[in-house]
Amino acid sequence: MEGALVNALEAIALGAPVGIHGNKLAAFEFCQTSFVLSYYILLLFYLAYWQFVPAASVYGSSWEDWRRIFAHTNFVSAKWICLPVHGAVIGAWFGAWPMPLDWERPWQEWPICVSYGALAEYLIGMVASLGFVLIRGRQHHQKGD
Amino acid sequence: MSVSSITCKRLTLLSISAVFIQLIGLSLFVFGFFPVKLALSGVSGPESYRAPACDSNHNHTHTHTSLPPPQLRSLYQDLSGIPPSFDRLIFMVIDGLPAEFVLGKDGKPPRKAFMEAMPYTQSLLANGMAIGYHAKAAPPTVTMPRLKAMVSGAVGGFLDVAFNFNTQALLDDNLLGQFLSIGWKMVMLGDETWLKLFPGLFTRQDGVSSFFVKDTVQVDQNVSRHLGDELSRDDWNLLILHYLGLDHVGHIGGRNSVLMAPKLVEMDQIVKMIHTSIIQTQESDQGNTLLVVVSDHGMTESGNHGGSSFEETDSLALFIGLRNHVSDYASATNNTAYQVDIAPTLALLFGVPIPKNNIGVLISETFDSLKDDHRLRALELNSWQLLRLLQAHSSGLSCGNIPYNGFSDSKTTGTTACNGSTEKMLCCLYMKAAVLHNSWKSKQVSESDRWEVYSSTFAAYHKFLKTASEWLSSRATDKPVNLLASGVAAMLLSCLIFLSLILRMCREVSLVEKQHLSELGSNSQRWHLDETFVLGVIFILVVSMTSSSMVEEEHYIWHFMASTLYLVLLRKTAQLLPAGSRVFRGQNIMSSVFVLLISGRILRGWHQGGVNWTYLPDISKWLEQGGNDLVKAVQLVSGVMAICVGLYALSFFGSKKIIVQVVGINFCIAGLLVLQYVMRYQDNTFVPSSDGATLLAQIIYAILGSATVGTVVVIPWLIPIHLSDMGSSHNIYLSTLVPSDIKEKSPLMEIRDSLYVIGWSYILCWCLLQLLLQQPINSMPILLLLVQIMTSMLYFSYSRLHHKEWVEVSALCFLGMAGHFALGNSNTLATIDVAGAFIGISSHSTLLSGILMFSITYASPMLALLSMVVYMSVKSYLVVPQNVDSGHLLKTMLGFPCLVPLGINSILLTAYTIVLLLMRNHLFVWSVFSPKYLYVCATTVCIYIGVTIVAATGIYAYLVLVMRKMKRFSIFNH
């Protein structure tokens, strides 16, 4: 779960509120892109796809491994598998934009729209990735023939 | 090398011409867009008591103003037909008093502390002796335009703000001029703005300066000391009192300052004193006096003003001594009006013509004690005046379609609804009122109908007046299209020139880079996230400018962009580090980005800026709650740390330590003096600034100025000349890319060394100056900005070729803008720190305090620009001199640090100009978009200044060193 810490720090650096000031404070903070949701998705992906490394907890204090995780999210030989992960991060980033607008809608509250953004982009990434899988699969199939 | 190579001379000429084109375009646009007040010339005379002329506009020019004052006075009285209710007027202005303090808000009484602070005023309101209004002031809510609005009834142009510090005589038709023409004697005590507006008008005067913002006591005592004497005299008709203390209390401590309640008590006692004396004169039958207590504007929670929020525009208009009695407290306090309504009300009450450009509507409750026909007459006079103004503004409103004497069809006209174009509607509304009034006057109606006709006439007049007033105040002037179009075109042109220059430079650099990279055998062309992101930031900024909320909350965007940019840099760094290396350098470079991220996050949390969510907790509020001592401790710590950081950075300098030591000692002394100033004089903010403080501040200015200028001038002459590359081999920023034969001839090393020292002395000088000038709470952000700048320099010096140079320069610019908002600035004029602008100035000087105010507001962008000098030195290993003479070195060195800020700014300026043009009919154009435009213009000026300094420093150092090197070279060879 060290990975959670990294992502939480990332979110704080982008402006997520530190400490528990209650939801009111957090509500309209704009640049706090939450990576909470996206993080869990990331983690799931690490666990699901990244099979040649046992688990995230293995890394512990290994500086090099952490650097690689952060720098090369396209660590798997097939790049397209990471599309949903990238999508979630980018979606969370864009999801933060409506927060300062004065529309006074309930969903503008932190971290709702950020999470929606992450989720939406994640789904898009999923579909895209699925498409890649299918296309690749067919190509592979044809090659096999 | 390549065919597209652009010579240094041509580059310079092109950029300078682009700057000039931009300046011309900007000034054309500003003068075209911001309305110069639409004003009728001349002064209202007896003709204002006749209905507006039908045929030609103003052909009866025989003026009666040549009449001696007493005759004119009786003429006005005869013509108006309204008996004057009062003989004398006391006009008491309490600067910055929000009406909320006296009248409460939304039907609720004011806060208990304020209620108790003003017992007499509150009892007057409760007894129906006074009637108070929330008089909405028009932005900009600063003193001079508001005083003009109150005496002339006209709303000034937006650019009046810019001239607030440069008050000039009010030449337009106004109440005081009218009073003078009927022979009134006037006395003014208080803010000397009045004296500047009306020079030579007052019989007696005692002006106090609004200059020492920290003085809250003396400034009001100077007004009150004459009050007893003046009240006992009877040789004046108008007494103006302008108390500044309350505004100063607000500037120091905000609405909830501990000094607020005592100040209100003081004001209440003055009201009591005046009212008691009024009652005495009334009892001894020496005439009636009306006391009008007004405030020019309100204040925000933190005590600032200038913008258009409710808190700032909620000014007071309190009439004491009207003969009608208001029934209950609620109806005496729960009224709204406009600030401009004061002018026509007073004009009609005192029997002078309404000023020509007035757009206000008389406050009808103040006429309640008059007879019905007098009240209608007052409404009629107001309508005629507005109608004249309407006719002047709109040619569609010709007299032909106003048959104001045809009351035969009164019944039909009275019932038809008015619609159609605004002009037609206004005509129709006026006609309706006039017809009804005529039928009322003609006494055709029976006694039973009389009240009904009266009330419908009253309502009709009111409807016309309200509609006309609103239309006039909201009406944007006809913008000169040619001026605006040519302005925008010029800005676009200069923007294109800048962009093409940058593009050209980029292409050249990439060509050179390719040669080197092919030598080094590294791959070059791939998708760069950081470059895309920087372009994306500019795009996002342009798009976000179109939304009023995004303009109000712009700080969020900058912080978000800056921190995302750091993350992108972090990722890129992590990617580019050679796998498996656990070298010191790699961790160092990563940790520098972490420092950037962390300090950026603290800066972001320092001030909860913007407009809508300023009440949320932030670090500065938290520290201020901790008390003065805590703030001061933080300030001292950051002062010491800033000096340490600066000296540490200077200590990186490799050769000839003695120069650095001298420079360092100079700044140490200045820094210690700043700390002493902080210790001694910022101890208690309530103490009026003393001579000692001013002297010390002046000494600090002198030391900082001479140290910096001295460093800049002397360093290029003193820096040791390397004749071989041996001496510099231990420099941390050394590179081996330069062939040694060229190194001998070109002053590359020396330029690098001297620019490093000069750059740091610029940065240190600026930071120390800001530590002195900024509010105490802002000292820590200044330190953090300094740390950010230093870390960026370290990062850039490590990162070598990983980033394109323009990416790094724009990152510095973004850092500067994020810091701008971290220092508590926003896009409203209210956050400009006025108090700091008078530090170290002993006499009033618009220019000097303007410069100080500018440097306080643009502390951070300027710091980022000044750091470009260090950046040039840090990055100069990229400069690969092909030949010594062509100025190629100068071009490569100065090109990006100067062109990129200009380019980014020109994009933003041009885009925002177009946005402003598109938004000209937006509801918030004057309150949100126009102030932002002023900021954009000021940023442009800031960029010009910064870039000029950077370029001048670079060129000067280059020329001196080339000369020395040549000399030395020839001596060496002989």
Side-chain angles (χ1 to χ4, degrees), chain B residues 541-548 550-551 912 915 919 922 929:
Chain B
L541 285 171
V542 169
V543 171
S544 72
M545 280 170 174
T546 56
S547 146
S548 63
M550 290 290 191
V551 170
Y912 196 68
V915 166
M919 295 285 167
H922 194 279
F929 290 106

Side-chain angles (χ1 to χ4, degrees), chain A residues 44-55 59 75-77 81:
Chain A
L44 279 176
F45 265 80
Y46 288 168
L47 294 177
Y49 287 91
W50 204 11
Q51 288 168 357
F52 51 90
V53 175
Y59 300 129
F75 37 78
V76 193
S77 52
I81 281 179

Side-chain angles (χ1 to χ4, degrees), chain B residues 34-48:
Chain B
F34 292 106
V36 182
K37 196 161 80 179
L38 30 99
L40 287 175
S41 57
V43 177
S44 294
E47 81 281 355
S48 59

Side-chain angles (χ1 to χ4, degrees), chain B residues 942-959:
Chain B
C942 170
I943 302 259
Y944 287 163
I945 295 173
V947 166
T948 312
I949 292 175
V950 171
T953 312
I955 293 170
Y956 172 74
Y958 174 79
L959 289 180

Side-chain angles (χ1 to χ4, degrees), chain B residues 531-545:
Chain B
E531 289 162 31
T532 324
F533 184 74
V534 167
L535 294 180
V537 168
I538 296 171
F539 175 74
I540 287 171
L541 285 171
V542 169
V543 171
S544 72
M545 280 170 174

